[in-house]
Amino acid sequence: MTDRPTPETNQPHDLVGIGIGPFNLSLAALTHGLPTPINATFYEQRPAFHWHPGLLIDGASLQVPFLADLVTLADPTSPWTFLNYLRTRDRLYPFYFAERFHIQRAEYDAYCRWVSGQLPSLHFGHQVDAIRWNPQHAHFEVDYTQLDTDGEAEALGRAHTRHIALGIGTEPHIPEPLKPLADAGTVPVIHSADYLHHRQQLLDAEHITVIGSGQSGAEIFLDLLRARPAGHEKLHWLARTPAFAPMEYSKLGLEHFTPDYTRYFHALPEPVRDALVPHQWQLHKGIDHDTITAIHDELYRRTLHGGWPDATLTPGVAVRTAGRVATTRVELHLEHTQQGTRTRLTTDAVILATGYRERPLDQILDSLGTHLRRDTSGRPRIDDQYRLDLDPTITGNIYVQNAERHTHGVGAPDLGLAAWRSATILNNLTGTTPYPLPQRTAFTTFGLTPHPAIPTQNPTLTPLVQSN
């Protein structure tokens, strides 16, 4: 729904959410179910909800079970569960017999769009321009631009709120050597986020190179491989990692995506946290076993009548520089990090499955200046309740969603922790416990100290319900 009017009231909102991706959508859904309602509204500059539309490849599945929906792991009785979505579509029995614990990405996107179309607190086509603290009235001011259906400015507005939830998400990461070519657009150098939008153009290319060893790179390589004729595949798949490695998906390995591990990680010293994250890449950047198997099966099938497919898979390779050849081709200057050798690869199209980076918060938080406290690397400090560490003169809270990997670990972008984080935020914001959370979530005991009790209430929090 893109045409809902933005409500204007004399009283400040209790909560304004900025950005409507899965995480703030989870927060909005759980806010909608609070036993004591709060006044919350959420703004998103896009005209409607869409979750990675360029990567909804046919057959691609989520890497988390369907229970990692927007609400279930905090409130399985919520009307916004995935199972209730199936019920409203008369699909419970087909899902039951399909025996699918991991649903397709396209189905998850459809489920989220179903939720987003029914929550009255969501306002699409609203671009947030700035936030500031008003010390006289002790609340935040949020300036926004309302956009028309063409994305052009239609009206300016300002909302007032006691608290803010930043869910501005991530943005595609393009390596520096390839950024000039990707920005110019004169040759097909495309981030995987836009893969489906350019798929036919890519398939028409004589030779295609995929860069990146994660799940997206594997899914795109498999999709291209299946679409190319046997013996004339003309595909390269390159990666910086030393292997096309499987994701760590053992039961105990998955416990790194529990609240127990998140609390443990948050309590570690900053240098230890920074050293840990790069070594945990297989927890979230590897390839699932089924996709690796499907790639090998497809390559093997193409050898049945003799010969090998014209597909080169090379890990341990870094792109040093890149340039345009003639008018339509790309030349990649490559270095093998273990061999110390260098070569050149000429290709007709490049797909960058090089992941995403957290969108920097500095621009939107610019007005807070020295009120925002930072760590030794200049990053925002974030407490165990997902609040930015602000000067005490600012009595409102700014909660963050998926901007806290440096403080909370590899689970920050994981869908399986979305409902937990949303519930934690709402418990803290309301000063009550509308969503009781378990005190233990893993068999592993991380560290030598006992499992800490979960804080259920901030004793210094000002209640939301006030007399005016």
Side-chain angles (χ1 to χ4, degrees):
M1 298 176 66
T2 62
D3 57 350
R4 288 182 287 225
T6 303
E8 297 293 345
T9 64
N10 294 326
Q11 298 301 321
H13 297 286
D14 296 315
L15 176 68
V16 164
I18 300 173
I20 305 175
F23 298 131
N24 260 357
L25 184 59
S26 165
L27 185 63
L30 288 174
T31 299
H32 190 264
L34 288 173
T36 302
I38 67 172
N39 183 357
T41 193
F42 294 78
Y43 298 128
E44 167 61 51
Q45 68 179 8
R46 296 175 301 171
F49 183 94
H50 284 291
W51 183 71
H52 295 305
L55 277 171
L56 300 181
I57 300 169
D58 188 31
S61 298
L62 285 185
Q63 292 172 281
V64 292
F66 73 89
L67 291 173
D69 62 15
L70 300 172
V71 295
T72 292
L73 292 175
D75 181 12
T77 67
S78 167
W80 310 116
T81 64
F82 176 73
L83 288 179
N84 194 45
Y85 162 71
L86 293 178
R87 185 189 66 83
T88 65
R89 295 294 191 267
D90 288 332
R91 296 181 57 228
L92 266 177
Y93 270 91
F95 181 73
Y96 166 55
F97 289 118
E99 297 183 341
R100 293 186 181 276
F101 204 48
H102 293 77
I103 63 174
Q104 292 194 13
R105 287 184 184 175
E107 188 166 27
Y108 177 80
D109 176 63
Y111 153 68
C112 288
R113 287 189 283 110
W114 170 76
V115 175
S116 70
Q118 299 181 80
L119 293 177
S121 60
L122 307 185
H123 302 283
F124 293 93
H126 285 65
Q127 173 186 293
V128 172
D129 304 311
I131 64 173
R132 68 182 64 83
W133 177 251
N134 184 323
Q136 182 178 358
H137 294 96
H139 63 232
F140 293 101
E141 296 174 345
V142 180
D143 291 340
Y144 61 83
T145 302
Q146 189 168 344
L147 309 175
D148 62 20
T149 54
D150 296 321
E152 300 296 327
E154 188 173 59
L156 301 178
R158 176 174 295 168
H160 306 268
T161 182
R162 296 185 178 96
H163 306 288
I164 287 173
L166 285 178
I168 59 177
T170 57
E171 58 189 1
H173 170 65
I174 298 176
E176 284 301 322
L178 289 145
K179 198 168 182 1
L181 291 176
D183 291 343
T186 52
V187 288
V189 176
I190 296 163
H191 193 273
S192 59
D194 297 317
Y195 171 66
L196 287 183
H197 307 313
H198 299 275
R199 182 174 183 271
Q200 190 54 55
Q201 176 193 6
L202 293 166
L203 287 175
D204 291 340
E206 180 71 12
H207 183 277
I208 309 171
T209 299
V210 179
I211 299 176
S213 62
Q215 182 67 18
S216 295
E219 289 172 350
I220 289 170
F221 178 79
L222 178 60
D223 185 60
L224 293 171
L225 181 62
R226 286 170 168 168
R228 308 281 274 192
H232 301 279
E233 295 84 1
K234 296 190 176 180
L235 295 173
H236 259 74
W237 185 14
L238 307 174
R240 287 189 308 167
T241 54
F244 295 106
M247 183 172 293
E248 169 55 67
Y249 209 74
S250 66
K251 302 305 181 186
L252 293 179
L254 288 174
E255 290 193 341
H256 287 83
F257 299 96
T258 59
D260 280 9
Y261 183 77
T262 299
R263 286 193 294 268
Y264 162 78
F265 185 92
H266 186 272
L268 293 173
E270 179 188 331
V272 178
R273 295 197 305 254
D274 288 345
L276 263 178
V277 170
H279 295 290
Q280 295 178 328
W281 65 272
Q282 272 189 262
L283 290 171
H284 61 108
K285 292 184 178 180
I287 307 167
D288 73 48
H289 180 270
D290 289 344
T291 306
I292 291 177
T293 299
I295 290 171
H296 192 275
D297 286 350
E298 183 64 29
L299 291 169
Y300 178 74
R301 186 182 67 81
R302 291 168 183 250
T303 69
L304 296 182
H305 302 293
W308 287 68
D310 187 5
T312 303
L313 292 70
T314 310
V317 173
V319 178
R320 295 174 52 249
T321 60
R324 193 175 68 180
V325 177
T327 57
T328 61
R329 308 198 80 194
V330 177
E331 184 175 83
L332 303 173
H333 294 205
L334 309 176
E335 180 175 11
H336 195 281
T337 52
Q338 293 178 352
Q339 288 182 327
T341 54
R342 295 180 176 181
T343 189
R344 299 179 182 182
L345 172 65
T346 302
T347 186
D348 297 287
V350 177
I351 303 163
L352 300 172
T354 46
Y356 297 79
R357 297 291 185 272
E358 296 170 356
R359 283 195 173 93
L361 303 179
D362 291 341
Q363 182 175 354
I364 199 166
L365 298 176
D366 181 63
S367 66
L368 296 180
T370 57
H371 295 294
L372 176 62
R373 294 174 172 174
R374 300 177 182 273
D375 64 16
T376 59
S377 298
R379 300 164 299 195
R381 288 166 53 182
I382 302 166
D383 73 10
D384 60 352
Q385 302 295 292
Y386 300 97
R387 299 174 296 188
L388 293 178
D389 188 354
L390 301 172
D391 188 279
T393 58
I394 298 179
T395 56
N397 293 324
I398 299 179
Y399 301 94
V400 295
Q401 303 239 50
N402 195 13
E404 73 281 4
R405 184 179 296 179
H406 63 291
T407 57
H408 288 68
V410 293
D414 191 77
L415 294 175
L417 284 170
W420 168 278
R421 179 170 50 201
S422 295
T424 300
I425 290 171
L426 290 174
N427 288 351
N428 179 266
L429 185 149
T430 61
T432 61
T433 315
Y435 294 108
L437 297 172
Q439 293 196 15
R440 186 168 182 178
T441 54
F443 290 112
T444 305
T445 299
F446 299 100
L448 296 178
T449 55
H451 291 268
I454 299 170
T456 58
Q457 184 170 335
N458 183 349
T460 63
L461 189 69
T462 303
L464 285 176
V465 180
Q466 300 177 349
S467 57
N468 295 292

